[in-house]
Amino acid sequence: MNFLSTFVTFKNLHEVRRLCHWGPIIALSVIAICSTMAILDSIIWYWPLDTTGGSINFIMLINWTVLILYNYFNAMFVGPGYIPLGWKPENQQDTQYLQYCRGCQGYKAPRSHHCRKCNRCVMKMDHHCPWINNCCGHLNHAYFTSFLLLAPLGCSHAAIIFIMTMYTQLYERISFGWSTVRIDMSAVRQFQPLMPFSVPAFAATLFALGLALGTTIAVGMLFVIQMKVILRNKTSIESWIEEKAKDRIQHYQTGEEFIFPYDLGSRWLNFKQVFTWSGTPRGDGIVWPVHPKCHQHTLTIEQLKQKADKRVRSVQYQAVEDYNGACCPLSKGLQTFFRTPCTEEPRIPLCKGDTILATRGTKWWMYGDKVLSEEQLRAGERIRGWFPRRCVEKCHYDTAASDTTSDKKVN
């Protein structure tokens, strides 16, 4: 109903502008090409009105398209949910545990972070996704993950149709010999199909097959990553906060035990926090169920500790491998290639020996600022972006360098 009300009542007409972006244009183009070619090829290969199997195949194909578009547009237009501008907790004493957002002129609720692209504090922000031109957060996490599941399934079905269509249409046109292979694309079949399978149709089917297989692999990997996050009830930003918390405890030998507060101890319980029968996730995006040994502000207090501690505000790394700044560097390993951050933020080239102050990261990639010379700093230069984790090694902490980049922190 949220999806329908977005368009029927036109309350969010300005949100339609999200479609005018390279991410949705590419995503919708891939969906349109694969769906259209699969429908046309299914008519050639398995005419739906002749057999029960053909009817089921055609209905499933239409079903994939509808479900994919439904979840895609919901992820885009329903949005992640935003903290109200100027928000304050009901208990004024809780403000000492919260960070203040100058952009939104209010406090950041637990698990919320400020998105520079959306220019709002996002509820349970995971990341800003360019493919939906919106953030992935509290309200649209289920829709986004469902889209990541349905897209590979639909593309796999379409790929089977493409392969079977090319096989059946070319089978009688290909003559195999001991030394030669002759392909006659103009040969006439004994039974003419409802639609001709010409050379352009073959080329279009082959192109759609490549898109379908590529989407299945790439989006399937993203689905696995998102499911790992959901089953731990943890976002990618919170994973970095947890990593820095353990590093802080180890460095100062405080003896304290850091427990991630939002992991409820059961994958099923964590799963139900996102996926519900109604489609609306549990909670209001401000108050969250927590581990018995934690409270609502356990993680925000840890963030304040890290903010006050210049040593862990940004972690210093030194480049041990050259990196040319490619978005998907195959030379850095398959995991780095397939798990490249799904974001519009830039990549920064590295040369061996460069120093970087990392402010956040994932298992395979890190985000931070390259330490520049004094002349570059005076000129106002700043080099900030993502780089492969395998290209750097952690080194000593430079408090002075951290002072020059005190505004670099995880929003």
Side-chain angles (χ1 to χ4, degrees), residues 290-309:
V290 295
H291 190 277
K293 295 183 179 181
C294 303
H295 55 82
Q296 287 294 318
H297 304 292
T298 297
L299 197 65
T300 56
I301 292 175
E302 176 59 35
Q303 288 179 265
L304 291 174
K305 290 180 181 179
Q306 295 178 10
K307 184 179 180 180
D309 187 356

Side-chain angles (χ1 to χ4, degrees), residues 112-130:
S112 68
H113 302 276
H114 188 84
C115 174
R116 296 185 183 94
K117 293 289 183 180
C118 299
N119 199 28
R120 290 289 300 274
C121 285
V122 176
M123 296 178 178
K124 191 190 170 185
M125 179 180 175
D126 185 82
H127 67 286
H128 185 92
C129 178

Side-chain angles (χ1 to χ4, degrees), residues 54-192:
S55 300
I56 295 175
N57 172 70
F58 195 79
I59 292 173
M60 285 184 61
L61 187 60
I62 299 297
N63 182 62
W64 290 129
T65 304
V66 172
L67 289 177
I68 288 171
L69 290 176
Y70 173 79
N71 285 280
Y72 179 82
F73 284 123
N74 267 303
M76 178 185 294
F77 293 118
V78 170
Y82 302 105
I83 301 297
L85 295 174
W87 179 83
K88 295 181 181 180
E90 295 182 0
N91 186 354
Q92 292 299 318
Q93 294 182 352
D94 291 341
T95 57
Q96 61 182 316
Y97 307 125
L98 302 173
Q99 296 186 55
Y100 186 79
C101 178
R102 295 180 181 178
C104 297
Q105 295 297 307
Y107 288 90
K108 298 179 183 178
R111 310 195 78 176
S112 68
H113 302 276
H114 188 84
C115 174
R116 296 185 183 94
K117 293 289 183 180
C118 299
N119 199 28
R120 290 289 300 274
C121 285
V122 176
M123 296 178 178
K124 191 190 170 185
M125 179 180 175
D126 185 82
H127 67 286
H128 185 92
C129 178
W131 303 111
I132 62 173
N133 195 20
N134 207 341
C135 280
C136 176
H138 175 57
L139 295 181
N140 65 350
H141 204 172
Y143 292 122
F144 180 75
T145 308
S146 298
F147 165 73
L148 296 182
L149 170 64
L150 293 168
L153 293 177
C155 286
S156 298
H157 186 189
I160 294 173
I161 294 176
F162 299 147
I163 293 172
M164 293 306 299
T165 300
M166 290 188 293
Y167 173 77
T168 55
Q169 293 299 310
L170 299 179
Y171 181 76
E172 294 182 0
R173 308 182 190 191
I174 302 177
S175 175
F176 293 95
W178 288 103
S179 59
T180 62
V181 177
R182 179 178 60 82
I183 302 179
D184 183 8
M185 295 298 293
S186 63
V188 180
R189 294 186 58 193
Q190 183 178 0
F191 299 100
Q192 288 287 350

Side-chain angles (χ1 to χ4, degrees), residues 215-372:
T215 301
T216 300
I217 296 173
V219 181
M221 291 289 292
L222 293 176
F223 170 73
V224 173
I225 295 172
Q226 284 300 313
M227 283 307 301
K228 288 182 178 180
V229 167
I230 291 173
L231 294 178
R232 298 170 183 171
N233 203 5
K234 185 185 302 182
T235 67
S236 57
I237 296 177
E238 291 168 347
S239 297
W240 177 246
I241 295 173
E242 181 182 26
E243 182 177 337
K244 291 199 294 183
K246 294 178 179 179
D247 180 76
R248 178 184 62 81
I249 294 172
Q250 181 180 5
H251 178 81
Y252 290 113
Q253 297 294 321
T254 60
E256 60 184 300
E257 179 187 8
F258 180 80
I259 300 175
F260 184 73
Y262 306 115
D263 188 348
L264 303 182
S266 168
R267 292 185 177 182
W268 176 242
L269 292 177
N270 292 336
F271 180 84
K272 290 194 298 182
Q273 292 298 311
V274 176
F275 292 95
T276 61
W277 289 110
S278 64
T280 303
R282 296 186 178 183
D284 58 0
I286 295 178
V287 180
W288 306 91
V290 295
H291 190 277
K293 295 183 179 181
C294 303
H295 55 82
Q296 287 294 318
H297 304 292
T298 297
L299 197 65
T300 56
I301 292 175
E302 176 59 35
Q303 288 179 265
L304 291 174
K305 290 180 181 179
Q306 295 178 10
K307 184 179 180 180
D309 187 356
K310 297 177 181 178
R311 191 196 66 84
V312 298
R313 184 183 301 172
S314 55
V315 185
Q316 185 168 316
Y317 287 82
Q318 188 171 33
V320 294
E321 295 182 20
D322 292 338
Y323 167 56
N324 61 4
C327 180
C328 301
L330 186 58
S331 61
K332 302 304 179 182
L334 291 178
Q335 294 282 9
T336 303
F337 177 82
F338 284 114
R339 298 194 181 187
T340 182
C342 186
T343 174
E344 293 180 276
E345 294 170 317
R347 276 61 170 168
I348 55 174
L350 297 178
C351 295
K352 191 173 181 180
D354 287 345
T355 302
I356 310 96
L357 297 176
T359 55
R360 53 189 165 100
T362 65
K363 186 176 180 180
W364 303 100
W365 288 80
M366 303 192 74
Y367 183 89
D369 296 80
K370 184 184 291 187
V371 176
L372 305 176

